[in-house]
Amino acid sequence: MTLPLSILDLAPIAPGETARESFASSVALAQTAEKSGYRRVWYAEHHNMPSIASSATSVLIGHVAAQTSTIRLGAGGIMLPNHAPLTIAEQFGTLETLFPGRIDLGLGRAPGSDQATMHAMRRDPMSAESFPQDVVELQGYLWGESRIAGVQAVPRASTRVPLYILGSSLFGAQLAAMLGLPYAFASHFSPDALHEAVALYRREFKPADLTGDGVFSEPWVIAGANVVAAENGDDAREQLATTRRSRVRGMISRGAASPEYSDEHIDAFLTTPNGRQLANMMKYSAAGTPTEVAAFLTDFASAADADEVIVAHQSPQIAERLRSVELTADALSLAGAAV
């Protein structure tokens, strides 16, 4: 059986690039993924980050969906405490109505931003506390079983939008298991609790008392990993090193990449205790030839007890990312597989 493989598109805005160019790259990436046999492409909600273009996540999903035909597209995820459940139900009901059978909705409770940005968004600092109740309310709107008398989401699609709980801790695993929803673990940047969370989720999973579209009767685990595939393995490893330096540079600069930190500075920092802690965020990463990447992903899925792997292709340039998408799919024989 072919390993189900999906993509998390980080919608990066490269130095010197515009957001419009980033959106064009996201379209090209989704089109390439569609041709190559990937199951889905997801986009994450981030705010006030100059290097990420996916802040208006549902708008980006609609833009890409209009320029693809069959691949599933969705949020990985919408940070629900930033929004009223009814608003998200209306957005994703609209998307599913326009692109039936192709829309996913992953939900997280992190802010996707810093404290100042939370204030600018008028977010209540305590809103994450109501995340479980908000998920249930949202599910009711999307699935035609509103928990609020006299209120419904319009439009509501004729098919149910599948919901996924995202997380990087035991909280999300427990909630997904309790609600009988599939669970996606953000091990591509927060690896430490992966195995414990997946084990807890599978152990405590209770199927929802529902049938039909969007309902999973068995646990379903998606685990995240970083990938760079290239014909030359050394080239792939250097691409990943470039991306890692850029990410660390942005973190220690608290914003856009700063030229005052040279590659040598970053490499030296990565040998320090704080640097090693940041480097550990990309623990689950594969960079090499297609054969090496395919072997890593197969072993990773088995070790993580994952039903599906979602990969962030981390090549710094779009041409390299598209080639990594193709090479990884070919190595895993995705093209032509049932997805």
Side-chain angles (χ1 to χ4, degrees), residues 277-296:
Q277 186 176 2
L278 289 182
N280 182 63
M281 294 173 66
M282 296 182 71
K283 173 182 177 180
Y284 294 122
S285 299
T289 64
T291 300
E292 291 171 331
V293 167
F296 171 90

Side-chain angles (χ1 to χ4, degrees), residues 11 23 38 40 67 94 101 106 121-123 198 207 211 217 292:
F23 296 146
Y38 287 78
R40 64 184 101 244
Q67 298 180 76
T94 298
M121 296 177 68
R122 306 298 191 266
R123 173 176 167 169
V198 171
T211 59
S217 60
E292 291 171 331

Side-chain angles (χ1 to χ4, degrees), residues 3 5 70 76 86 106 130 136-137 145 165 200 208 220 226 246 252 262 267 286 298 313 322 326:
L3 172 67
L5 197 64
T70 57
L86 178 61
S130 64
V136 171
E137 182 181 338
E145 300 162 358
I165 299 298
L200 184 153
W220 187 265
N226 303 291
S246 178
I252 62 179
S262 67
D267 289 342
T298 301
H313 288 275
L322 296 180
E326 294 171 334

